[in-house]
Amino acid sequence: MNTNFEKDSNPKKDQSKNIIIIVLVLLVIISGIKLYTDYVDRTKKTEEILLLSTENNELNQRLDSVTYQLELRIKEIEKLGGDVKALEAVRDQMIAERNSNKQRSAAEIASLNGKINNLNNLIAQKDQEILELRAANQQLFAENQDLKNTQAEIEEEVAQLNIQKQNLQAKVDVASMLKAEKISIAAVNSRGKERVETTKDFKNRQIERLKVSFNLADNKVAEKGPRNVYVQILDPKGQPIFDVAKGSGTFMINGQEQFYTVRQDLIFDNTNQELIFYYEKGTDYVSGNHEVRIFIDNYPAGSKTFTVK
């Protein structure tokens, strides 16, 4: 009996062992599949990271390139007198983006690449603007035969144009200066009798007052309006005759303070206005040649001499 039972129980044990082996094999297979899929995921992620890193590096190179190209255009347009504020703002944005240490996502990389493409189009537009600016400058070169088509000569041309402008303004300033004409000097004695310098030399007893008269010459360039008119009488040694108590004072001529003998204010209207000045010295004039100088504002307008015996 026992022998038969043992024989019947062996197949069951073998079957159990087979099941365990199958389960273990399945577990090994599942683990292997899991390890493989994990490996594939890690490999894919690693490849994505490497791809993003590569794309970021390439993007940084493109940012460097477009920034350099923008800088070239900015310098060229500045030299040609164009407006570069907008380009400078774009350049600064690209520099800030390039200096950013963050790892960009694929969407950010795509967005920046789009911006770079747009910037390349902008650079092409600026190249056309540079050509137009150069053409405009070349037109100026044609009007000025002494200049050549180089940037240094463009700067020289600008300097020459400024000098010409200053010279023209100086000519206008000179042309607008008022002139005294028909200058007459007379000695007025105590009875009011006048002796003009063309008659003969003056004597001190004849000079109770000195009368200086003249007209303002026609000048259509000069601006109408208020003027300060000064008369300066110089003695034979070239020293101004003045008396502050009788209206004399100082004014500036060529950056230097000088005394004037008498002065008047008037409103210039270009009507050949006549001005008359009287000066009562109170003491004798020194014998010799005297000079009367007339100044309007801060420039000389005329002069005449007289002699006292």
Side-chain angles (χ1 to χ4, degrees):
M1 294 294 292
N2 291 336
T3 304
N4 291 334
F5 177 77
E6 288 176 359
K7 288 180 180 179
D8 292 339
S9 64
N10 286 335
K12 291 182 180 180
K13 287 181 180 179
D14 292 340
Q15 185 178 6
S16 298
K17 288 180 180 178
N18 290 336
I19 292 172
I20 291 172
I21 291 170
I22 291 170
V23 169
L24 288 175
V25 170
L26 290 173
L27 288 174
V28 170
I29 291 171
I30 292 171
S31 297
I33 294 172
K34 181 67 169 59
L35 289 173
Y36 176 75
T37 55
D38 288 346
Y39 170 76
V40 171
D41 288 342
R42 286 196 301 272
T43 301
K44 185 177 180 180
K45 288 181 180 177
T46 300
E47 289 176 349
E48 289 177 351
I49 291 171
L50 289 174
L51 181 61
L52 282 176
S53 178
T54 301
E55 290 180 350
N56 264 294
N57 290 335
E58 291 176 351
L59 179 61
N60 284 336
Q61 291 176 359
R62 293 193 72 193
L63 285 170
D64 289 338
S65 176
V66 77
T67 301
Y68 175 72
Q69 294 300 324
L70 282 172
E71 186 65 32
L72 290 178
R73 271 62 178 188
I74 287 170
K75 290 180 178 178
E76 185 68 16
I77 292 173
E78 272 186 327
K79 289 179 182 178
L80 295 172
D83 185 8
V84 295
K85 290 183 180 178
L87 278 182
E88 287 177 335
V90 174
R91 177 203 60 194
D92 294 342
Q93 290 176 2
M94 292 300 99
I95 292 174
E97 184 62 43
R98 175 64 178 86
N99 294 335
S100 175
N101 293 322
K102 71 175 183 178
Q103 187 69 22
R104 304 179 186 90
S105 66
E108 290 173 329
I109 291 174
S111 175
L112 273 174
N113 276 319
K115 289 182 180 179
I116 291 173
N117 290 335
N118 291 334
L119 283 179
N120 285 328
N121 293 331
L122 176 63
I123 288 172
Q125 294 175 7
K126 292 303 174 181
D127 286 341
Q128 181 61 35
E129 181 181 330
I130 288 171
L131 291 176
E132 293 172 357
L133 285 171
R134 284 177 178 169
N137 278 286
Q138 287 171 358
Q139 184 177 356
L140 289 177
F141 302 156
E143 296 173 357
N144 298 275
Q145 297 178 355
D146 294 337
L147 298 177
K148 298 180 181 178
N149 296 328
T150 64
Q151 185 57 39
E153 286 161 347
I154 293 174
E155 295 173 358
E156 177 64 20
E157 171 62 13
V158 172
Q160 290 296 329
L161 289 175
N162 287 334
I163 291 172
Q164 291 175 13
K165 182 179 178 181
Q166 292 171 1
N167 290 340
L168 179 60
Q169 185 60 49
K171 290 178 181 178
V172 171
D173 291 342
V174 170
S176 64
M177 290 181 178
L178 300 179
K179 298 297 180 183
E181 62 180 9
K182 300 178 183 178
I183 302 172
S184 175
I185 302 173
V188 184
N189 62 23
S190 59
R191 298 188 302 276
K193 183 178 179 180
E194 294 184 7
R195 181 184 296 271
V196 182
E197 90 287 342
T198 56
T199 305
K200 55 176 65 177
D201 298 337
F202 298 148
K203 297 179 181 179
N204 268 297
R205 58 183 174 80
Q206 299 168 336
I207 314 176
E208 179 72 17
R209 292 185 299 166
L210 193 69
K211 176 184 176 182
V212 178
S213 61
F214 55 88
N215 293 89
L216 295 180
D218 177 71
N219 191 326
K220 295 180 176 58
V221 178
E223 182 179 354
K224 296 179 181 180
R227 297 287 192 279
N228 297 317
V229 183
Y230 305 92
V231 171
Q232 185 185 61
I233 303 174
L234 302 179
D235 66 19
K237 293 183 179 181
Q239 297 300 314
I241 297 173
F242 64 92
D243 187 342
V244 176
K246 295 181 179 180
S248 301
T250 60
F251 67 132
M252 298 298 295
I253 292 294
N254 297 326
Q256 295 182 345
E257 187 177 29
Q258 296 190 29
F259 279 97
Y260 62 82
T261 308
V262 288
R263 63 166 286 178
Q264 283 188 35
D265 298 331
L266 83 153
I267 302 298
F268 172 71
D269 58 10
N270 200 31
T271 59
N272 204 229
Q273 293 154 282
E274 182 182 19
L275 284 84
I276 299 175
F277 294 80
Y278 289 97
Y279 179 68
E280 185 176 349
K281 188 172 183 293
T283 58
D284 288 345
Y285 286 84
V286 177
S287 297
N289 293 326
H290 293 66
E291 183 180 7
V292 173
R293 293 180 179 176
I294 299 166
F295 297 88
I296 297 178
D297 291 335
N298 61 348
Y299 58 86
S303 65
K304 196 164 187 178
T305 61
F306 68 94
T307 303
V308 177
K309 284 189 174 181

